[in-house]
């Protein structure tokens, strides 16, 4: 269903993330929106929030409640510390 709407639910990180440091917020009005609303970390399959997929090094939004997927045009802001190999 979400694929047919064209809503993106998975966001790949550019560097290897330290999972415990990840914070996610959403600017629903896009990049110029001054309000970045913090999002709740949950687990894969939860009805709301987001989770970290270490295999893909990505943040994935759960969407079974229909409200956790950021609306089209939103800016997703992910801040995190990186893993030092």
């Amino acid at each position: 269903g979400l694929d047919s709407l064209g809503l993106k639910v998975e966001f790949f990180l550019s560097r290897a993330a330290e999972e415990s440091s990840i914070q996610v917020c959403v600017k629903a009005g896009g990049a110029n929106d001054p309000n970045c609303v913090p999002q709740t970390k949950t687990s894969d399959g939860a009805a709301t929030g987001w989770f970290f997929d270490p295999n893909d090094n990505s943040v994935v939004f759960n969407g079974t409640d229909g409200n956790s997927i950021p609306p089209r045009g939103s800016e997703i802001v992910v801040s995190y510390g990186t893993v030092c190999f």
Side-chain angles (χ1 to χ4, degrees):
L2 292 173
D3 289 336
S4 65
L5 295 175
L7 295 177
K8 188 171 180 182
V9 298
E10 184 172 19
F11 298 86
F12 298 94
L13 306 179
S14 60
R15 306 218 27 197
E18 177 62 49
E19 182 172 0
S20 63
S21 71
I22 300 172
Q23 295 182 358
V24 178
C25 68
V26 173
K27 293 182 174 187
N32 295 324
D33 188 340
N35 300 314
C36 201
V37 180
Q39 303 297 298
T40 304
K41 182 178 180 182
T42 59
S43 59
D44 185 6
T48 62
W50 63 271
F51 67 94
F52 176 66
D53 181 347
N55 295 324
D56 288 337
N57 194 49
S58 64
V59 168
V60 182
F61 285 88
N62 291 304
T64 59
D65 72 345
N67 296 317
S68 293
I69 306 300
R72 184 181 314 277
S74 297
E75 179 178 26
I76 313 308
V77 180
V78 181
S79 47
Y80 57 95
T82 59
V83 174
C84 194
F85 294 105

